[in-house]
Amino acid sequence: MLSVETRYAIDPASAKALDTTGLRAHFHAGGLFAAGQIRLIYSHYDRMIVGAAVPDGADLQLDHVKECGTASVLDRREMAVLNVGGAGVVSAAGVDYEMAKGDVVYLGLGSGPVRFSGAGRFYILSAPAHAAYPARLITIKDAKSFRTGAPETANDRTIFQFVHPEVMQSCQLVMGYTQFHGGSVWNTMPAHLHDRRMEAYLYFDLDPAQRVFHIMGAPQETRHLVVANEEAVISPPWSIHCGAGTGSYSFCWAMAGDNTDYRDVDMVAMEALR
């Protein structure tokens, strides 16, 4: 029911020497959404956990994760859960959170075991926490949103901020997702860096026959990963993170690190990319 993979951090010089297989082994996260299972990746980039739970008709419980070194997964962590499937329920600390597609649940430090049920497909993010903040169900109506980009640059999109200082308080998790408007496919371009925080991307609502070309790497040494629906990318602090799809899609972005300042980025000029 539960499987955990550990991913160790590497430096940009080591990443530069990787072939496609090696690059995917370190940074691509496929096969997270498996029926009747909880699959997690424990990353050494800011100790972020990225994973998924798919109840598929039977309740799943996430409790002890050996890699965390605690009795229960949230004893020293916080968690955000995004539902990308049908109606489902996330339960923790005696409270049931009924989730529609697109809803997010935040669970604070000490929330205890987490149960997943219903028809949901639950994307899981977790980072170490130093304080306990209240658990909360955040619907798309509760999220802070803004529209940016333009059709002329193929990046007309709306960004929804869920676990974010302008919506709620967390320790270090910052999380939301982006939806594109007709014909736009470019995300997070112009590119940027934030060496103080890592980031994880989940691509979803992508037709199974289509792909996203996720661009990563140092600005002068870019590489790419070909990503399918409901696959994720672990983006290290030294890497840019942007991409373009062959069809419409949404993506969930999440960060952990030194701060929760969404605007704390170092822009990369288009002419500097190689």
Side-chain angles (χ1 to χ4, degrees), residues 68-98:
C68 296
T70 54
S72 189
V73 64
L74 294 181
D75 284 354
R76 293 184 60 84
R77 285 180 164 269
E78 59 186 351
M79 178 179 289
V81 180
L82 165 65
N83 182 15
V84 299
V89 179
V90 170
S91 305
V95 180
D96 296 334
Y97 301 95
E98 297 186 6

PDB file of all heavy atoms in Angstrom, residues 68-98:
ATOM      1  N   CYS A  68      11.022   9.625   7.587  1.00  0.00           N
ATOM      2  CA  CYS A  68      10.819  10.853   8.369  1.00  0.00           C
ATOM      3  C   CYS A  68      11.405  10.743   9.776  1.00  0.00           C
ATOM      4  O   CYS A  68      11.616  11.764  10.443  1.00  0.00           O
ATOM      5  CB  CYS A  68       9.334  11.186   8.459  1.00  0.00           C
ATOM      6  SG  CYS A  68       8.582  11.566   6.871  1.00  0.00           S
ATOM      7  N   GLY A  69      11.615   9.519  10.263  1.00  0.00           N
ATOM      8  CA  GLY A  69      12.213   9.337  11.572  1.00  0.00           C
ATOM      9  C   GLY A  69      11.308   9.675  12.743  1.00  0.00           C
ATOM     10  O   GLY A  69      11.776   9.920  13.860  1.00  0.00           O
ATOM     11  N   THR A  70      10.002   9.673  12.520  1.00  0.00           N
ATOM     12  CA  THR A  70       9.035   9.962  13.579  1.00  0.00           C
ATOM     13  C   THR A  70       7.963   8.880  13.589  1.00  0.00           C
ATOM     14  O   THR A  70       7.802   8.131  12.614  1.00  0.00           O
ATOM     15  CB  THR A  70       8.363  11.331  13.375  1.00  0.00           C
ATOM     16  OG1 THR A  70       7.784  11.377  12.052  1.00  0.00           O
ATOM     17  CG2 THR A  70       9.374  12.459  13.505  1.00  0.00           C
ATOM     18  N   ALA A  71       7.209   8.820  14.677  1.00  0.00           N
ATOM     19  CA  ALA A  71       6.183   7.788  14.794  1.00  0.00           C
ATOM     20  C   ALA A  71       5.104   7.952  13.726  1.00  0.00           C
ATOM     21  O   ALA A  71       4.622   6.975  13.149  1.00  0.00           O
ATOM     22  CB  ALA A  71       5.558   7.812  16.188  1.00  0.00           C
ATOM     23  N   SER A  72       4.716   9.203  13.478  1.00  0.00           N
ATOM     24  CA  SER A  72       3.692   9.492  12.473  1.00  0.00           C
ATOM     25  C   SER A  72       4.213  10.578  11.545  1.00  0.00           C
ATOM     26  O   SER A  72       5.020  11.431  11.947  1.00  0.00           O
ATOM     27  CB  SER A  72       2.382   9.938  13.132  1.00  0.00           C
ATOM     28  OG  SER A  72       1.338  10.020  12.181  1.00  0.00           O
ATOM     29  N   VAL A  73       3.764  10.558  10.312  1.00  0.00           N
ATOM     30  CA  VAL A  73       4.353  11.399   9.268  1.00  0.00           C
ATOM     31  C   VAL A  73       4.288  12.890   9.594  1.00  0.00           C
ATOM     32  O   VAL A  73       5.192  13.657   9.226  1.00  0.00           O
ATOM     33  CB  VAL A  73       3.695  11.098   7.904  1.00  0.00           C
ATOM     34  CG1 VAL A  73       2.209  11.449   7.907  1.00  0.00           C
ATOM     35  CG2 VAL A  73       4.413  11.800   6.768  1.00  0.00           C
ATOM     36  N   LEU A  74       3.258  13.329  10.301  1.00  0.00           N
ATOM     37  CA  LEU A  74       3.100  14.759  10.569  1.00  0.00           C
ATOM     38  C   LEU A  74       3.548  15.169  11.970  1.00  0.00           C
ATOM     39  O   LEU A  74       3.238  16.267  12.414  1.00  0.00           O
ATOM     40  CB  LEU A  74       1.649  15.188  10.325  1.00  0.00           C
ATOM     41  CG  LEU A  74       1.191  15.093   8.857  1.00  0.00           C
ATOM     42  CD1 LEU A  74      -0.253  15.551   8.718  1.00  0.00           C
ATOM     43  CD2 LEU A  74       2.099  15.897   7.948  1.00  0.00           C
ATOM     44  N   ASP A  75       4.286  14.303  12.651  1.00  0.00           N
ATOM     45  CA  ASP A  75       4.777  14.673  13.981  1.00  0.00           C
ATOM     46  C   ASP A  75       5.701  15.885  13.925  1.00  0.00           C
ATOM     47  O   ASP A  75       5.750  16.671  14.877  1.00  0.00           O
ATOM     48  CB  ASP A  75       5.519  13.495  14.614  1.00  0.00           C
ATOM     49  CG  ASP A  75       4.572  12.429  15.139  1.00  0.00           C
ATOM     50  OD1 ASP A  75       3.345  12.658  15.121  1.00  0.00           O
ATOM     51  OD2 ASP A  75       5.066  11.358  15.551  1.00  0.00           O
ATOM     52  N   ARG A  76       6.461  16.042  12.842  1.00  0.00           N
ATOM     53  CA  ARG A  76       7.348  17.199  12.678  1.00  0.00           C
ATOM     54  C   ARG A  76       7.233  17.780  11.270  1.00  0.00           C
ATOM     55  O   ARG A  76       8.184  18.351  10.735  1.00  0.00           O
ATOM     56  CB  ARG A  76       8.797  16.817  12.987  1.00  0.00           C
ATOM     57  CG  ARG A  76       9.028  16.460  14.459  1.00  0.00           C
ATOM     58  CD  ARG A  76      10.490  16.185  14.763  1.00  0.00           C
ATOM     59  NE  ARG A  76      11.340  17.344  14.477  1.00  0.00           N
ATOM     60  CZ  ARG A  76      11.543  18.359  15.315  1.00  0.00           C
ATOM     61  NH1 ARG A  76      10.925  18.375  16.498  1.00  0.00           N
ATOM     62  NH2 ARG A  76      12.348  19.347  15.001  1.00  0.00           N
ATOM     63  N   ARG A  77       6.053  17.644  10.676  1.00  0.00           N
ATOM     64  CA  ARG A  77       5.833  18.097   9.302  1.00  0.00           C
ATOM     65  C   ARG A  77       4.475  18.759   9.143  1.00  0.00           C
ATOM     66  O   ARG A  77       3.582  18.580   9.958  1.00  0.00           O
ATOM     67  CB  ARG A  77       5.904  16.918   8.322  1.00  0.00           C
ATOM     68  CG  ARG A  77       7.304  16.421   8.044  1.00  0.00           C
ATOM     69  CD  ARG A  77       7.299  15.250   7.071  1.00  0.00           C
ATOM     70  NE  ARG A  77       8.646  15.066   6.554  1.00  0.00           N
ATOM     71  CZ  ARG A  77       9.119  15.641   5.463  1.00  0.00           C
ATOM     72  NH1 ARG A  77       8.325  16.388   4.715  1.00  0.00           N
ATOM     73  NH2 ARG A  77      10.368  15.459   5.076  1.00  0.00           N
ATOM     74  N   GLU A  78       4.340  19.502   8.039  1.00  0.00           N
ATOM     75  CA  GLU A  78       3.051  19.996   7.561  1.00  0.00           C
ATOM     76  C   GLU A  78       2.802  19.374   6.197  1.00  0.00           C
ATOM     77  O   GLU A  78       3.725  18.848   5.560  1.00  0.00           O
ATOM     78  CB  GLU A  78       3.051  21.529   7.475  1.00  0.00           C
ATOM     79  CG  GLU A  78       4.120  22.101   6.550  1.00  0.00           C
ATOM     80  CD  GLU A  78       4.189  23.622   6.595  1.00  0.00           C
ATOM     81  OE1 GLU A  78       3.313  24.260   7.197  1.00  0.00           O
ATOM     82  OE2 GLU A  78       5.149  24.174   6.003  1.00  0.00           O
ATOM     83  N   MET A  79       1.564  19.435   5.722  1.00  0.00           N
ATOM     84  CA  MET A  79       1.200  18.762   4.476  1.00  0.00           C
ATOM     85  C   MET A  79       0.133  19.550   3.744  1.00  0.00           C
ATOM     86  O   MET A  79      -0.745  20.175   4.357  1.00  0.00           O
ATOM     87  CB  MET A  79       0.686  17.346   4.783  1.00  0.00           C
ATOM     88  CG  MET A  79       0.233  16.547   3.564  1.00  0.00           C
ATOM     89  SD  MET A  79      -0.344  14.871   4.017  1.00  0.00           S
ATOM     90  CE  MET A  79       1.228  14.100   4.465  1.00  0.00           C
ATOM     91  N   ALA A  80       0.203  19.525   2.418  1.00  0.00           N
ATOM     92  CA  ALA A  80      -0.866  20.037   1.564  1.00  0.00           C
ATOM     93  C   ALA A  80      -1.284  18.925   0.616  1.00  0.00           C
ATOM     94  O   ALA A  80      -0.428  18.204   0.083  1.00  0.00           O
ATOM     95  CB  ALA A  80      -0.402  21.259   0.780  1.00  0.00           C
ATOM     96  N   VAL A  81      -2.589  18.781   0.412  1.00  0.00           N
ATOM     97  CA  VAL A  81      -3.130  17.731  -0.456  1.00  0.00           C
ATOM     98  C   VAL A  81      -4.037  18.384  -1.494  1.00  0.00           C
ATOM     99  O   VAL A  81      -4.971  19.115  -1.142  1.00  0.00           O
ATOM    100  CB  VAL A  81      -3.926  16.684   0.346  1.00  0.00           C
ATOM    101  CG1 VAL A  81      -4.477  15.602  -0.583  1.00  0.00           C
ATOM    102  CG2 VAL A  81      -3.064  16.065   1.445  1.00  0.00           C
ATOM    103  N   LEU A  82      -3.764  18.133  -2.759  1.00  0.00           N
ATOM    104  CA  LEU A  82      -4.577  18.623  -3.870  1.00  0.00           C
ATOM    105  C   LEU A  82      -5.325  17.450  -4.478  1.00  0.00           C
ATOM    106  O   LEU A  82      -4.719  16.418  -4.800  1.00  0.00           O
ATOM    107  CB  LEU A  82      -3.687  19.278  -4.927  1.00  0.00           C
ATOM    108  CG  LEU A  82      -4.319  19.533  -6.311  1.00  0.00           C
ATOM    109  CD1 LEU A  82      -5.457  20.544  -6.225  1.00  0.00           C
ATOM    110  CD2 LEU A  82      -3.253  19.987  -7.308  1.00  0.00           C
ATOM    111  N   ASN A  83      -6.630  17.604  -4.654  1.00  0.00           N
ATOM    112  CA  ASN A  83      -7.425  16.567  -5.316  1.00  0.00           C
ATOM    113  C   ASN A  83      -7.515  16.872  -6.807  1.00  0.00           C
ATOM    114  O   ASN A  83      -8.070  17.898  -7.205  1.00  0.00           O
ATOM    115  CB  ASN A  83      -8.829  16.499  -4.710  1.00  0.00           C
ATOM    116  CG  ASN A  83      -9.681  15.394  -5.324  1.00  0.00           C
ATOM    117  OD1 ASN A  83      -9.168  14.506  -6.000  1.00  0.00           O
ATOM    118  ND2 ASN A  83     -10.975  15.448  -5.078  1.00  0.00           N
ATOM    119  N   VAL A  84      -6.967  15.978  -7.637  1.00  0.00           N
ATOM    120  CA  VAL A  84      -7.044  16.152  -9.093  1.00  0.00           C
ATOM    121  C   VAL A  84      -8.015  15.156  -9.717  1.00  0.00           C
ATOM    122  O   VAL A  84      -8.066  15.003 -10.938  1.00  0.00           O
ATOM    123  CB  VAL A  84      -5.646  16.028  -9.748  1.00  0.00           C
ATOM    124  CG1 VAL A  84      -4.711  17.101  -9.224  1.00  0.00           C
ATOM    125  CG2 VAL A  84      -5.037  14.639  -9.546  1.00  0.00           C
ATOM    126  N   GLY A  85      -8.812  14.473  -8.871  1.00  0.00           N
ATOM    127  CA  GLY A  85      -9.753  13.472  -9.364  1.00  0.00           C
ATOM    128  C   GLY A  85     -11.189  13.792  -8.990  1.00  0.00           C
ATOM    129  O   GLY A  85     -11.596  14.959  -8.900  1.00  0.00           O
ATOM    130  N   GLY A  86     -11.973  12.752  -8.736  1.00  0.00           N
ATOM    131  CA  GLY A  86     -13.375  12.924  -8.371  1.00  0.00           C
ATOM    132  C   GLY A  86     -13.535  13.299  -6.908  1.00  0.00           C
ATOM    133  O   GLY A  86     -12.565  13.559  -6.189  1.00  0.00           O
ATOM    134  N   ALA A  87     -14.787  13.309  -6.455  1.00  0.00           N
ATOM    135  CA  ALA A  87     -15.063  13.687  -5.068  1.00  0.00           C
ATOM    136  C   ALA A  87     -14.403  12.703  -4.114  1.00  0.00           C
ATOM    137  O   ALA A  87     -14.477  11.480  -4.288  1.00  0.00           O
ATOM    138  CB  ALA A  87     -16.570  13.719  -4.824  1.00  0.00           C
ATOM    139  N   GLY A  88     -13.731  13.252  -3.108  1.00  0.00           N
ATOM    140  CA  GLY A  88     -13.040  12.399  -2.150  1.00  0.00           C
ATOM    141  C   GLY A  88     -12.985  13.047  -0.787  1.00  0.00           C
ATOM    142  O   GLY A  88     -13.421  14.192  -0.599  1.00  0.00           O
ATOM    143  N   VAL A  89     -12.444  12.317   0.170  1.00  0.00           N
ATOM    144  CA  VAL A  89     -12.366  12.795   1.549  1.00  0.00           C
ATOM    145  C   VAL A  89     -10.953  12.577   2.071  1.00  0.00           C
ATOM    146  O   VAL A  89     -10.380  11.493   1.916  1.00  0.00           O
ATOM    147  CB  VAL A  89     -13.376  12.068   2.462  1.00  0.00           C
ATOM    148  CG1 VAL A  89     -13.247  12.566   3.901  1.00  0.00           C
ATOM    149  CG2 VAL A  89     -14.804  12.272   1.953  1.00  0.00           C
ATOM    150  N   VAL A  90     -10.410  13.617   2.687  1.00  0.00           N
ATOM    151  CA  VAL A  90      -9.166  13.507   3.453  1.00  0.00           C
ATOM    152  C   VAL A  90      -9.524  13.703   4.914  1.00  0.00           C
ATOM    153  O   VAL A  90     -10.199  14.677   5.270  1.00  0.00           O
ATOM    154  CB  VAL A  90      -8.128  14.555   2.998  1.00  0.00           C
ATOM    155  CG1 VAL A  90      -6.936  14.590   3.952  1.00  0.00           C
ATOM    156  CG2 VAL A  90      -7.647  14.257   1.590  1.00  0.00           C
ATOM    157  N   SER A  91      -9.079  12.788   5.762  1.00  0.00           N
ATOM    158  CA  SER A  91      -9.430  12.832   7.182  1.00  0.00           C
ATOM    159  C   SER A  91      -8.166  12.890   8.025  1.00  0.00           C
ATOM    160  O   SER A  91      -7.204  12.156   7.771  1.00  0.00           O
ATOM    161  CB  SER A  91     -10.241  11.601   7.578  1.00  0.00           C
ATOM    162  OG  SER A  91     -11.399  11.462   6.759  1.00  0.00           O
ATOM    163  N   ALA A  92      -8.163  13.770   9.028  1.00  0.00           N
ATOM    164  CA  ALA A  92      -7.037  13.892   9.951  1.00  0.00           C
ATOM    165  C   ALA A  92      -7.523  14.520  11.245  1.00  0.00           C
ATOM    166  O   ALA A  92      -8.396  15.391  11.228  1.00  0.00           O
ATOM    167  CB  ALA A  92      -5.923  14.729   9.340  1.00  0.00           C
ATOM    168  N   ALA A  93      -6.982  14.073  12.360  1.00  0.00           N
ATOM    169  CA  ALA A  93      -7.301  14.619  13.690  1.00  0.00           C
ATOM    170  C   ALA A  93      -8.803  14.646  13.955  1.00  0.00           C
ATOM    171  O   ALA A  93      -9.333  15.602  14.542  1.00  0.00           O
ATOM    172  CB  ALA A  93      -6.708  16.013  13.845  1.00  0.00           C
ATOM    173  N   GLY A  94      -9.512  13.614  13.479  1.00  0.00           N
ATOM    174  CA  GLY A  94     -10.934  13.493  13.746  1.00  0.00           C
ATOM    175  C   GLY A  94     -11.839  14.339  12.875  1.00  0.00           C
ATOM    176  O   GLY A  94     -13.042  14.417  13.118  1.00  0.00           O
ATOM    177  N   VAL A  95     -11.278  15.000  11.848  1.00  0.00           N
ATOM    178  CA  VAL A  95     -12.069  15.859  10.955  1.00  0.00           C
ATOM    179  C   VAL A  95     -12.020  15.299   9.546  1.00  0.00           C
ATOM    180  O   VAL A  95     -10.945  14.926   9.039  1.00  0.00           O
ATOM    181  CB  VAL A  95     -11.537  17.305  10.963  1.00  0.00           C
ATOM    182  CG1 VAL A  95     -12.370  18.191  10.037  1.00  0.00           C
ATOM    183  CG2 VAL A  95     -11.541  17.864  12.386  1.00  0.00           C
ATOM    184  N   ASP A  96     -13.187  15.235   8.896  1.00  0.00           N
ATOM    185  CA  ASP A  96     -13.281  14.803   7.499  1.00  0.00           C
ATOM    186  C   ASP A  96     -13.393  16.033   6.604  1.00  0.00           C
ATOM    187  O   ASP A  96     -14.275  16.878   6.810  1.00  0.00           O
ATOM    188  CB  ASP A  96     -14.507  13.922   7.282  1.00  0.00           C
ATOM    189  CG  ASP A  96     -14.453  12.621   8.067  1.00  0.00           C
ATOM    190  OD1 ASP A  96     -13.325  12.163   8.362  1.00  0.00           O
ATOM    191  OD2 ASP A  96     -15.526  12.058   8.359  1.00  0.00           O
ATOM    192  N   TYR A  97     -12.525  16.126   5.622  1.00  0.00           N
ATOM    193  CA  TYR A  97     -12.549  17.235   4.674  1.00  0.00           C
ATOM    194  C   TYR A  97     -13.028  16.708   3.323  1.00  0.00           C
ATOM    195  O   TYR A  97     -12.318  15.952   2.654  1.00  0.00           O
ATOM    196  CB  TYR A  97     -11.155  17.852   4.538  1.00  0.00           C
ATOM    197  CG  TYR A  97     -10.603  18.383   5.842  1.00  0.00           C
ATOM    198  CD1 TYR A  97      -9.766  17.596   6.644  1.00  0.00           C
ATOM    199  CD2 TYR A  97     -10.920  19.664   6.297  1.00  0.00           C
ATOM    200  CE1 TYR A  97      -9.269  18.068   7.849  1.00  0.00           C
ATOM    201  CE2 TYR A  97     -10.427  20.146   7.505  1.00  0.00           C
ATOM    202  CZ  TYR A  97      -9.605  19.342   8.268  1.00  0.00           C
ATOM    203  OH  TYR A  97      -9.109  19.810   9.462  1.00  0.00           O
ATOM    204  N   GLU A  98     -14.246  17.080   2.952  1.00  0.00           N
ATOM    205  CA  GLU A  98     -14.808  16.639   1.677  1.00  0.00           C
ATOM    206  C   GLU A  98     -14.268  17.520   0.560  1.00  0.00           C
ATOM    207  O   GLU A  98     -14.425  18.744   0.591  1.00  0.00           O
ATOM    208  CB  GLU A  98     -16.328  16.691   1.735  1.00  0.00           C
ATOM    209  CG  GLU A  98     -16.926  15.744   2.776  1.00  0.00           C
ATOM    210  CD  GLU A  98     -18.442  15.702   2.730  1.00  0.00           C
ATOM    211  OE1 GLU A  98     -19.034  16.323   1.805  1.00  0.00           O
ATOM    212  OE2 GLU A  98     -19.040  15.050   3.601  1.00  0.00           O
TER     213      GLU A  98
END
